[in-house]
Amino acid sequence: SYELTQPASVSVSPGQTASLVCSGDKLGDKYVSWFQQKPGQSPVLVIYQDTKRPSGIPERFSGSNSGNTASLTISGTQAMDEADYYCQAWDSISALFGGGTHLTVL
Amino acid sequence: QVQLQESGPGLVKPSETLYLTCSVSGGSIRTYYWNWIRQPPGKGLEWIGYISFSGTTNYNPSLKSRVNISLDTSKNQFSLKLSSVTAADTAVYYCARGTPGETAMVTGGYFDYWGQGTLVTVSS
């Protein structure tokens, strides 16, 4: 079965660039979404269809997808960006989520 | 602004059936795809399935034998029924709106609005 793999944790210093990755076989052939989830809150869509930002999502969030890896990049990371981030794609008819990456801003 | 709100029992006994309803406001239920997604405590997200505005359903293969999602357009609501529950079904259950991609949900569709989630515990 198809799987999306994410590192469990990533750390970044405030103001620096955070790069979160999601890997899967030929993932570049699929569209990827990214969700941000803070403790006790619902997930929030931050990137869809690889590179698009929903209204209200800051420009510092950007996405890419090629080969076997999709990436979420947060430029000028702020303390408020500390959260869990999940990638998601469709495999045939099923929606799949990665295991999530906890981003620590310190 | 589209809002979704889950409702239903917070405690279900093992082997019984879980019922949840999602009420949609601020937009019509007569378009888009309406999804259920769950998250066990301390774990990641799992897609359960969706129902389209036309009534077409699509379920996670791992849950398909136990899941039913229905739509009530007159009440702007959709519902989840999960049968024969066990402790492994304990989770926060979210309802979410799905916006289709190029041709359908499975071709680039995305989950753009989510409910606040409701915790369902399976225990005797």
Side-chain angles (χ1 to χ4, degrees):
Chain A
S1 61
Y2 196 86
E3 293 184 355
L4 296 175
T5 302
Q6 298 181 252
S9 62
V10 169
S11 297
V12 65
S13 300
Q16 298 303 303
T17 296
S19 294
L20 285 70
V21 298
C22 173
S23 62
D25 185 48
K26 298 181 181 178
L27 186 56
D29 292 343
K30 307 177 187 297
Y31 279 124
V32 173
S33 296
W34 289 89
F35 299 89
Q36 176 194 69
Q37 187 179 33
K38 297 181 179 179
Q41 298 183 18
S42 305
V44 172
L45 179 70
V46 294
I47 293 289
Y48 67 99
Q49 292 178 353
D50 296 340
T51 62
K52 299 175 182 176
R53 266 181 303 105
S55 174
I57 300 302
E59 290 185 8
R60 63 179 182 274
F61 289 86
S62 63
S64 64
N65 185 18
S66 180
N68 295 324
T69 304
S71 299
L72 173 68
T73 301
I74 309 173
S75 303
T77 306
Q78 300 181 10
M80 68 172 65
D81 299 328
E82 183 161 302
D84 293 327
Y85 290 84
Y86 295 91
C87 61
Q88 179 267 318
W90 291 88
D91 174 42
S92 183
I93 60 170
S94 293
L96 298 174
F97 289 92
T101 295
H102 182 73
L103 176 66
T104 300
V105 182
L106 45 68
Chain B
Q1 176 77 344
V2 176
Q3 292 185 316
L4 294 85
Q5 178 68 60
E6 304 88 353
S7 60
L11 180 64
V12 181
K13 290 182 169 55
S15 80
E16 296 190 345
T17 298
L18 177 161
Y19 293 95
L20 293 175
T21 297
C22 181
S23 299
V24 180
S25 60
S28 175
I29 203 167
R30 294 180 184 273
T31 51
Y32 302 102
Y33 291 71
W34 303 97
N35 295 262
W36 288 98
I37 296 164
R38 70 181 183 179
Q39 185 173 36
K43 297 187 178 181
L45 300 165
E46 180 182 34
W47 175 76
I48 298 170
Y50 69 63
I51 186 165
S52 73
F53 54 90
S54 63
T56 301
T57 54
N58 182 20
Y59 302 135
N60 186 324
S62 69
L63 298 169
K64 188 174 183 177
S65 63
R66 300 193 290 129
V67 171
N68 182 268
I69 298 175
S70 58
L71 189 65
D72 187 338
T73 56
S74 66
K75 294 182 179 179
N76 248 36
Q77 292 178 339
F78 63 106
S79 299
L80 169 70
K81 183 174 75 171
L82 181 65
S83 62
S84 304
V85 298
T86 70
D89 295 309
T90 293
V92 174
Y93 284 76
Y94 296 99
C95 55
R97 190 183 84 169
T99 293
E102 296 164 353
T103 56
M105 193 64 195
V106 299
T107 54
Y110 49 94
F111 308 117
D112 52 1
Y113 290 95
W114 295 60
Q116 66 183 30
T118 186
L119 174 63
V120 178
T121 301
V122 178
S123 175
S124 56

